[in-house]
Amino acid sequence: MLRVSRLLLGWLVLAGCAEPANAQPAPAVPSSPVEDAPAASASQETPPRAEPATLPAWPAATAPLTAQPLQVPKGYRKKRIYLDAGHGYRANTGNTSVTCETEADNMLRVAEDLARRLEATGHFKVRLSRRAGKEVHYRTRVSEAESWNADAFVSLHSDSRGEAAWWEAAPGQKCLRQDTTPGYSVLWSDETADPLKTRRVTLARGLAQRIGAAGFLPYDGVDYVGLYEGDPEHPGVFVDRHEPGLRIMMLRRPRVPSVIIETHHALDFEEAARWKELRTLEAFAAAVAQGLVDGLSDSPSPAAPMATTGVAAQK
């Protein structure tokens, strides 16, 4: 069995620290100008109203995602975001996906794309924790974010959940697979005092709200019991509940608001495939941008509903 929590504890704990649209009715037909037109029979039945179409659920290939235009309040100051591509130090490559891709490589790809899209909005300055072929100690990442005066520390990861089984992803290539627990989660730590604690949870909730509103599925936390505690009013938000002294370093150590985004379940075949699509990266980046504005602003934009109806554009 693989679990993200065990991987994070195994690899992030360093030096004593755990790092429809509805169908529209037909328009009314005007009365016939012919006076002798026969009246409709009283026994004639009205055809039943069509039921609303049901959108396919994430992570199905046809499940829609939304890239909403960024809304920024007046006077919003450009924010510095330290974007950490999870893992990638020494032998710590994280989990191995359903198609045998390492978490470190996958998250570097996602982080580089997200950094580019965030900066393109003109409202963020982004610093990546690492580049391809470069190893950066986890404590160094935290100190860099703090010395750079980052407004937020955002670490990107993928989960590995539940009881997995081996399968042949390609001829001669066997990987683990488990297709029953897809979804994203946003993790934070309350192991600090206010105002930092409030800033952390505000950021986590802002990000999770916008990611869900874009069409991604919030993880239900079935494999997090005893490790993370879910937020009953904010789907996809979880606070670190590992034993004291073993809690995640990247969540508790930064003296700036810090979160981990578990982007998806890496062992789920459909979800892993969606995360290789440009439309997924586009929708994710738009959601993260708005979530950062909401979570770091004194005057956040109006919260979006956790749905994909009435959106600007569907992918």
Side-chain angles (χ1 to χ4, degrees):
M1 181 179 74
L2 291 179
R3 282 173 179 254
V4 64
S5 55
R6 294 179 181 177
L7 291 170
L8 286 173
L9 288 175
W11 295 319
L12 296 180
V13 179
L14 299 174
C17 296
E19 120 152 38
N22 293 333
Q24 298 298 319
V29 179
S31 300
S32 171
V34 181
E35 294 182 359
D36 295 332
S41 171
S43 62
Q44 186 176 5
E45 294 184 0
T46 303
R49 183 185 295 271
E51 292 297 325
T54 301
L55 290 176
W58 177 270
T62 54
L65 290 174
T66 303
Q68 286 276 18
L70 183 62
Q71 299 181 44
V72 179
K74 185 177 181 180
Y76 182 82
R77 174 181 61 83
K78 180 182 286 191
K79 297 296 191 293
R80 294 186 173 202
I81 308 302
Y82 191 88
L83 190 57
D84 175 39
H87 302 282
Y89 178 65
R90 293 185 177 175
N92 182 0
T93 58
N95 64 51
T96 301
S97 78
V98 65
T99 52
C100 295
E101 180 182 20
T102 68
E103 183 179 0
D105 289 344
N106 195 3
M107 290 302 103
L108 181 58
R109 173 181 62 85
V110 173
E112 289 175 338
D113 183 90
L114 178 57
R116 177 178 60 81
R117 294 179 188 273
L118 288 178
E119 291 212 327
T121 68
H123 295 287
F124 304 98
K125 185 173 179 60
V126 181
R127 177 173 291 188
L128 283 169
S129 65
R130 63 184 177 92
R131 298 284 184 176
K134 301 293 183 181
E135 294 188 350
V136 181
H137 196 288
Y138 305 117
R139 285 174 292 181
T140 301
R141 303 180 195 191
V142 172
S143 62
E144 281 183 350
E146 294 174 346
S147 62
W148 187 53
N149 294 320
D151 292 288
F153 184 106
V154 178
S155 187
L156 300 180
H157 290 259
S158 63
D159 252 341
S160 177
R161 304 166 181 151
E163 297 285 349
W166 294 100
W167 81 301
E168 195 169 41
Q173 185 182 48
K174 289 189 175 182
C175 319
L176 287 169
R177 179 169 179 173
Q178 197 270 60
D179 296 323
T180 63
T181 53
Y184 70 90
S185 61
V186 183
L187 314 178
W188 70 285
S189 172
D190 61 359
E191 195 174 328
T192 190
D194 276 327
L196 181 56
K197 182 165 69 174
T198 296
R199 295 173 66 198
R200 284 178 179 174
V201 68
T202 300
L203 177 61
R205 289 171 174 174
L207 287 166
Q209 172 72 16
R210 294 297 179 173
I211 295 171
F216 296 92
L217 175 70
Y219 176 48
D220 62 12
V222 64
D223 296 302
Y224 282 176
V225 176
L227 303 173
Y228 301 98
E229 181 182 347
D231 187 326
E233 297 183 4
H234 297 83
V237 177
F238 298 86
V239 62
D240 191 357
R241 286 292 179 258
H242 288 90
E243 294 182 10
L246 296 177
R247 294 183 177 174
I248 308 304
M249 184 179 75
M250 296 304 203
L251 295 178
R252 66 184 183 87
R253 278 292 185 88
R255 290 174 290 182
V256 300
S258 53
V259 297
I260 287 175
I261 302 177
E262 298 285 358
T263 56
H264 67 290
H265 176 33
L267 304 187
D268 186 295
F269 184 81
E270 279 191 313
E271 190 164 41
R274 291 297 306 262
W275 272 89
K276 293 187 180 297
E277 300 173 350
L278 288 179
R279 59 175 173 162
T280 299
L281 297 176
E282 179 185 5
F284 177 68
V288 169
Q290 193 65 68
L292 289 170
V293 170
D294 295 348
L296 300 174
S297 174
D298 293 332
S299 302
S301 303
M306 295 281 283
T308 56
T309 57
V311 297
Q314 290 188 342
K315 300 298 175 184

